[in-house]
Amino acid sequence: MTPTAEDYLRTIFVLGEEIQPVIAARVAEEMGVSPSTVVMTLRRLEEQGCLRVERRKEIHLTSKGKKVAEGTLRRHFLTERLLTDVLGMDWVKAHQEAHRLEHAISTEVEE
């Protein structure tokens, strides 16, 4: 799974926690990319079995996609805690750095 794919799945997961349905336009806005870029990526993720797009254009994660999204979020939160609690980094900087590091942490380290 590429870092970009993990970012998309994490974003869809977080947006899915809100009341509004998850659609490509909301994902594009949240990620700061064009709607056409989102549509292409969603197609690839759907082919990989990570999500499905319903007739009304609503996006839903499959169990595989949800597992990847939850793992990415968990690694992000763990990295933030390491950077703030152990290394004493400011939370804003830690959050930015955690976004970069979350993709490099192995499942073994996460566990």
Side-chain angles (χ1 to χ4, degrees), residues 34-102:
S34 71
S36 60
T37 299
V38 170
V39 169
M40 288 175 26
T41 305
L42 291 177
R43 283 187 189 138
R44 281 196 311 270
L45 290 169
E46 192 169 26
E47 289 169 1
Q48 293 173 6
C50 294
L51 58 84
R52 65 184 190 287
V53 180
E54 301 292 328
R55 269 194 279 148
R56 295 181 141 192
K57 307 293 183 188
E58 289 184 31
I59 302 164
H60 299 278
L61 294 177
T62 62
S63 57
K64 177 182 177 180
K66 187 175 179 181
K67 183 177 179 181
V68 172
E70 289 173 337
T72 304
L73 275 172
R74 179 173 165 74
R75 290 189 306 274
H76 182 91
F77 294 144
L78 289 170
T79 304
E80 282 180 340
R81 293 294 306 264
L82 171 71
L83 295 173
T84 56
D85 296 358
V86 176
L87 300 178
M89 187 179 276
D90 171 74
W91 186 86
V92 173
K93 290 180 183 177
H95 176 72
Q96 294 167 345
E97 194 62 32
H99 182 70
R100 288 186 282 275
L101 293 172
E102 68 194 25

Side-chain angles (χ1 to χ4, degrees), residues 5-54:
E6 289 178 344
D7 287 344
Y8 271 83
L9 295 172
R10 183 194 61 219
T11 299
I12 293 165
F13 180 82
V14 170
L15 289 173
E17 298 294 307
E18 299 174 3
I19 296 171
Q20 297 177 346
V22 180
I23 57 173
R26 291 186 63 215
V27 175
E29 182 180 331
E30 185 68 27
M31 296 196 65
V33 297
S34 71
S36 60
T37 299
V38 170
V39 169
M40 288 175 26
T41 305
L42 291 177
R43 283 187 189 138
R44 281 196 311 270
L45 290 169
E46 192 169 26
E47 289 169 1
Q48 293 173 6
C50 294
L51 58 84
R52 65 184 190 287
V53 180
E54 301 292 328

